[in-house]
Amino acid sequence: MENNNFDIQEELKKLPARPGVYLMHDEKDHIIYVGKAISLRNRVRQYFQSSRNKGIKIEQMVTHIRRFEYIVTDSELEALVLECNLIKEHHPKYNTMLMDDKTYPFIKVTTGEAFPRVVLSRKMLKDKAKYFGPYTSSQAVRDTIDLIHKLYHLRSCSRSLPRDIGKERPCLNYHIKQCNAPCQGYISQEEYGKSVNEVLRFLNGHYDTVLGELEEKMNAASEALEFERAIEYRELISSVKKVAQKQKITDSSGEDRDILAVASEEEDAVVQVFFIRGGRLIGRDHFYLRISKGETDSEILNSFVLQYYAGTPFIPAELMMQEEVEDRELLEEWLSSKRGQKVSLKVPKKGTKEKLVELARENARLVLSKDKERLKREEGRTIGAAKEIAALLGLPEIVRMEAYDISNTNGFESVGSMVVYERGRPKRNDYRKFKIKGIQGADDYGSMREVLTRRFMHGLKEREENVELGKFTSFPDLIMMDGGKGQVNVALQVLDELHLHIPVCGMVKDDHHRTRGLYYQNEEIPIDRSSEAFRLITRIQDEAHRFAIEYHRQLRGKGQVHSILDDIDGIGPARRKALMRHYASLEDIRGATVEELAAIPSMNEKAAESVYKFFH
């Protein structure tokens, strides 16, 4: 999916001098690198300056960059968290040094206990505790927990209270005035609870009072010439300020939600969508819209929600947006029926969620102001091309397309590929590969029948079991076969047997293996070679072929001889080795008679017949 319209030098001029995350794409539009920057303008430009000593890995990566994109954030800290999330989601090729299982710490308040504690946690569990974070500085978290103990005198031990009250002597923390010793019954559960509530207020961002108290103590210590104590207060103030930075990029609720924001200008608008899954921002997308003059942001969002979520297979529990929409209740009812669970449309007014919406809105503004013309071209290549294909075939709309191909070598290790395009773009998470199990030899029709049968039977089973996000749950609006009449008829037979009604077309090639047209409803439909529809069909056909070949090579790389000979009944490791010692190639084995095969040491007549029948 090479982007020929992306002018790197021109796009470098548009980069903002803002903190954020940048994503580098290669000629196939794969994300090959994710990085963060204090200034996107300065950092991204460095990759394309020939005078810089970049190192071997970066120099190699730069040769593969065909385009880049970026997300602005409010701070480098937010960029760091977002960078981590995107690397874990996309596994970029050149981020190998960052691909570890590092986790960021949370502050956990064990509110499910009678006498809660404040502890550092690396995981957010589904328990009765309250979690704050995650944070990028473990030391800042430890310093803050230490500060909480000094200010609010909560316990840090793991004793089971009130069961163990009075069983042991109070620990050192009591004697240094960092714990009120609930283990001795020196403080009631009610009084202790008041301190816990103050801690929760502090962790929720109400830290001005605490900072004021610390500054007063620091100044008093300094005036009393207690400089070491004053330095201690100063360092604690610094730690509190670090933790107090709102990390909007990660939502500690751990829920699935989409953040929507729009920027509009005259007859152009961009809607930015942030995808939060499991509390982490895993990606984003933006959509260019043609609007009428005077159309409000609320009206744009109303139309976008209706159009976008009509075709998307997954609907989160919440949509958060910058404006109330006119049909909110109706849209909630419609989305809830599609999801099978309640869906809410909300407009956050304060806190982290409101700032996330504002961040999405700011990114939408940047995209609209800097990338308007490129977005128009991109829409033509993707959504526009899909609309052209739908018009060619007389279909009302095409959102999801699935294309299939078969690959083998002389009939061995046959594999099938399924690639998915949604709104004219590849959806690689939905790609699937099949190792042919029930077909021997180079039978492409039989192999395709097996692939399609397995794919749609899996899908029907998942739908029957109400699997919401199964591997095969979503069905396409159009099936595209790599071939003509024969391949199309195979697909139609499979769909008919399964009582499914999905349009099927064939991508027909000419004698020079170039895409020529579409075979649909017993007719070959010619395509304008200069059209975006033609270019999209070519990309889909090439991608299906590439994906099948890639899987086939992978299997061959694991040992082609082993995979072929060991598929023959009665041929184990010893007989396989004997055959390969006696014959120089598989072609020689294929040309041998039963008598010649039976004469090989460790072989017998039954095994020889099995080999002969396999190859013939």
Side-chain angles (χ1 to χ4, degrees), residues 160-220:
S160 179
L161 302 180
R163 187 191 68 189
D164 294 340
I165 289 179
K167 289 187 178 180
E168 297 181 33
R169 291 182 296 176
C171 66
L172 178 63
N173 285 340
Y174 169 71
H175 297 291
I176 62 175
K177 303 187 186 308
Q178 288 194 21
C179 179
N180 286 327
C183 61
Q184 302 302 308
Y186 293 167
I187 182 172
S188 69
Q189 187 172 338
E190 183 180 357
E191 285 298 314
Y192 190 94
K194 291 179 180 178
S195 296
V196 172
N197 289 335
E198 287 300 313
V199 170
L200 294 174
R201 275 179 52 79
F202 168 68
L203 292 173
N204 272 309
H206 302 281
Y207 49 84
D208 290 343
T209 303
V210 174
L211 285 173
E213 291 176 359
L214 285 173
E215 287 175 2
E216 287 179 11
K217 291 179 180 180
M218 180 181 68
N219 293 332

Side-chain angles (χ1 to χ4, degrees), residues 291-307:
I291 61 174
S292 302
K293 282 188 177 181
E295 197 168 349
T296 65
D297 289 348
S298 175
E299 291 169 334
I300 296 168
L301 284 171
N302 200 96
S303 299
F304 176 79
V305 169
L306 187 62
Q307 294 176 46

Side-chain angles (χ1 to χ4, degrees), residues 16 66 76 94 98-99 102 109 112 122 137 195 216 257 293 336 346 376 472 479 498-499 520 591:
R66 294 296 178 270
E76 188 185 14
Y94 291 98
L98 298 176
M99 304 236 342
K102 178 180 178 182
V109 183
R122 292 284 177 181
S137 170
S195 296
E216 287 179 11
R257 54 171 57 95
K293 282 188 177 181
S336 298
K346 296 182 178 179
K376 288 180 182 179
F472 298 97
I479 295 173
L498 298 175
H499 306 292
Y520 182 64

Side-chain angles (χ1 to χ4, degrees), residues 585-598:
S585 68
L586 289 172
E587 287 304 313
D588 290 342
I589 299 174
R590 183 197 296 271
T593 64
V594 173
E595 292 75 16
E596 289 169 341
L597 291 167

